[in-house]
Each structure stands twice: as structure tokens, then as C-alpha cells.
């Protein structure tokens, strides 16, 4: 009878502990989602020796990615180099590097990325243009643009639809509006 009671207590305590940890992870994730650094700092230590520890660390780094030291980011990436969460942080960081035009660091990290999206591919093409890579021009022709008409409807078209000289400055022509889809930066009236 004692063995049965002991086993029952063990099962109940394990279930209660797991439920509490699941609740804590939900709170951790919600704290990250709303940008609540204090709650994130409160819940993250509860996962130090748990399989979800990399996610808690990711949330903490990601919240302050633009101000986190390069060494801290690279240390996380080194520890989690073959994981989905490591690849996710690398992609997030590459977006920051591309936005800042930190091309040498971008060029070093981009080949290590597994899950590449269109935005990162575009930054990779920009990085190659910045390094005077002439082969990037043909790859850039496959880019697609969207532009809204006066009624707010979006129209999708490819750069390949334009006759472009081989010596053309894509960036300059794009910013001048030659290809449409003019980027609006800042507030619009």
C-alpha cells in the first residue's frame, strides 16, 4: 500500500511540476511578446537546466538584439549552431546587420543561415552589390516589387519586366522611381 501511495504522490507531483513549468513558459513567452523585460528576467532563470533554456535565452537576447554585444550574440550562436533557435536568432541578427549596412559581419554570418527568407536574400544581394560583385545583377532581376495604385490595390511585377542596361545602378534607379514601387520612409500624409 505504501508503494502505491508513494507512486501516486510521485505522479501527482510530477504532473503539478510540469503544469507549473508549462504555465511559466507561457508567461515567459508572453513577456517576450509584449516586451516586458522585468517579467522575462523573472521567468527565464526557471529554465536554466531545462530543455527550453535556449528559448528563454533567445527571448532575452532578442528583446535587446540591437544593443546586445556582438560577442554575446556569437556565443549564443556557437552554443546553438545546429538548432532551429540558433538559426532563428541568426536570421534576426542578420536583419539588424542588413538594416545597419554592416556588410562585412553580414557576409560572415549569412552563409551559416539555414532558413533564408526573401528579406534576407535581398540584404545578401545588397551586401554583394556593396562589395562590387558584378554577378549579383542577374540574380537581382528575379526580384519582385509591389506597388499600390490610387485605389489602394497592390500590383506585383518583376524587375525582369524592365529593359535595364548592364551597367545600370539598380539602387540609384530604384530610388529614383524608375522601377516603380517607390519606398516610403517615415510618416506619410
Amino acid at each position: 500500500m505504501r508503494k502505491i501511495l508513494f507512486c501516486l504522490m510521485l505522479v501527482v507531483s510530477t504532473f503539478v511540476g510540469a503544469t507549473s513549468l508549462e504555465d511559466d513558459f507561457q508567461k515567459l513567452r508572453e513577456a517576450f511578446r509584449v516586451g516586458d523585460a522585468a517579467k522575462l528576467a523573472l521567468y527565464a532563470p526557471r529554465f536554466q537546466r531545462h530543455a527550453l533554456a535556449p528559448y528563454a535565452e533567445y527571448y532575452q537576447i532578442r528583446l535587446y538584439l540591437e544593443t546586445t554585444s556582438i560577442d554575446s550574440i556569437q556565443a549564443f550562436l556557437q552554443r546553438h549552431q545546429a538548432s532551429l533557435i540558433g538559426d532563428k536568432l541568426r536570421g534576426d541578427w542578420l536583419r539588424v546587420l542588413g538594416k545597419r549596412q554592416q556588410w562585412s559581419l553580414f557576409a560572415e554570418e549569412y552563409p551559416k543561415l539555414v532558413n533564408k527568407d526573401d528579406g534576407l536574400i535581398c540584404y545578401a544581394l545588397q551586401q554583394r552589390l556593396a562589395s562590387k560583385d558584378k554577378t549579383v545583377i542577374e540574380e537581382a532581376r528575379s526580384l519582385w516589387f509591389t506597388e499600390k495604385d490610387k485605389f489602394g490595390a497592390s500590383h506585383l511585377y518583376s524587375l525582369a519586366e524592365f529593359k535595364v542596361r548592364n551597367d545600370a545602378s539598380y539602387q540609384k534607379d530604384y530610388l529614383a522611381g524608375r522601377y516603380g514601387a517607390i519606398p516610403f520612409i517615415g510618416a506619410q500624409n
Side-chain angles (χ1 to χ4, degrees):
M1 184 66 165
R2 279 184 162 172
K3 286 183 181 180
I4 293 173
L5 188 57
F6 176 74
C7 287
L8 185 59
M9 287 176 51
L10 185 62
V11 168
V12 168
S13 68
T14 302
F15 178 73
V16 170
T19 302
S20 175
L21 204 53
E22 286 176 24
D23 289 343
D24 286 351
F25 187 74
Q26 292 298 328
K27 291 174 185 173
L28 175 79
R29 198 168 68 186
E30 181 63 16
F32 168 71
R33 191 186 69 76
V34 299
D36 188 337
K39 282 188 181 175
L40 200 56
L42 175 70
Y43 289 106
R46 298 176 187 184
F47 295 92
Q48 277 185 333
R49 290 185 178 86
H50 191 274
L52 295 173
Y55 289 87
E57 187 180 3
Y58 165 81
Y59 290 148
Q60 289 181 304
I61 292 173
R62 181 61 184 88
L63 193 61
Y64 296 107
L65 189 57
E66 295 202 19
T67 58
T68 301
S69 74
I70 292 171
D71 291 340
S72 295
I73 295 168
Q74 288 179 327
F76 178 90
L77 294 174
Q78 182 64 33
R79 286 192 308 277
H80 304 290
Q81 62 185 339
S83 72
L84 180 61
I85 199 69
D87 197 58
K88 176 123 178 71
L89 184 70
R90 180 171 276 115
D92 294 339
W93 188 36
L94 284 166
R95 279 179 197 69
V96 171
L97 295 174
K99 184 178 175 183
R100 292 180 182 166
Q101 298 184 359
Q102 292 179 304
W103 299 128
S104 61
L105 196 49
F106 185 96
E108 182 182 320
E109 290 296 325
Y110 185 74
K112 300 173 191 173
L113 185 68
V114 175
N115 297 304
K116 297 173 174 144
D117 62 32
D118 291 342
L120 289 172
I121 291 169
C122 190
Y123 276 134
L125 292 171
Q126 288 180 17
Q127 177 271 316
R128 289 174 51 203
L129 274 173
S131 67
K132 309 291 187 219
D133 181 348
K134 299 289 186 198
T135 64
V136 75
I137 293 173
E138 284 305 312
E139 288 180 56
R141 287 180 188 258
S142 68
L143 293 177
W144 290 82
F145 298 106
T146 59
E147 184 169 58
K148 291 191 178 196
D149 63 21
K150 63 182 178 182
F151 302 107
S154 293
H155 299 277
L156 180 69
Y157 55 93
S158 170
L159 182 61
E161 295 177 22
F162 293 88
K163 297 222 183 254
V164 182
R165 295 187 336 261
N166 286 339
D167 64 340
S169 169
Y170 284 94
Q171 183 177 16
K172 192 179 200 180
D173 289 347
Y174 171 63
L175 292 173
R178 184 166 187 278
Y179 311 124
I182 300 169
F184 292 101
I185 301 170
Q188 297 181 27
N189 294 336

